[in-house]
Amino acid sequence: QVQLMESGGGLVQPGGSLRLSCAASGNTFGINAMGWYRQAPGKQRELVAGITIDGSTHYEDSVKGRFTIARDNAKNTVYLQMNRLKPEDTAVYYCNVRRPGRVEYWGQGTQVTVSS
């Protein structure tokens, strides 16, 4: 079992920045892909950014150029640097971690609110 502890969410003005962190603990051996999803009220959960074990990254089009995903394998941690935030970025952000065998784990979610 893997436990994910998210942090870094909060209230920020448009154009501001936040850095989300997700630290994995427990049986972290074999963790492969890591990523961030978000879900706004009335909308489906969507993939925001993902990163593979070798550092290859993927971004949802609306955040490309504004968000940066990174990982520290020694710390079993994945980060999401969020810059130039927009009100439409407001959502609950969830950390996602995958292991071989299609095993998947989710963080508890952290609220990001972008508002004047």
Side-chain angles (χ1 to χ4, degrees):
Q1 186 72 23
V2 173
Q3 296 81 44
L4 304 178
M5 179 62 68
E6 298 184 27
S7 62
L11 175 64
V12 65
Q13 294 184 352
S17 298
L18 288 172
R19 183 175 176 85
L20 306 183
S21 177
C22 175
S25 62
N27 187 14
T28 60
F29 180 80
I31 287 178
N32 193 345
M34 309 179 79
W36 292 92
Y37 290 72
R38 67 185 179 187
Q39 187 167 24
K43 298 182 63 177
Q44 293 188 1
R45 187 174 299 186
E46 65 176 353
L47 175 65
V48 178
I51 184 168
T52 63
I53 190 67
D54 65 348
S56 298
T57 58
H58 170 83
Y59 297 95
E60 194 274 327
D61 287 343
S62 69
V63 308
K64 191 175 181 63
R66 299 188 297 120
F67 292 8
T68 302
I69 188 170
R71 64 190 292 170
D72 185 335
N73 291 332
K75 297 180 179 179
N76 295 310
T77 300
V78 61
Y79 307 92
L80 186 67
Q81 179 66 46
M82 309 165 66
N83 298 325
R84 302 190 302 280
L85 283 161
K86 305 175 180 179
E88 46 264 48
D89 294 318
T90 296
V92 178
Y93 284 71
Y94 296 91
C95 177
N96 174 266
V97 171
R98 297 177 181 177
R99 292 174 59 195
R102 302 180 68 182
V103 179
E104 191 173 71
Y105 303 93
W106 293 92
Q108 80 281 4
T110 183
Q111 177 70 48
V112 172
T113 302
V114 185
S115 179
S116 299

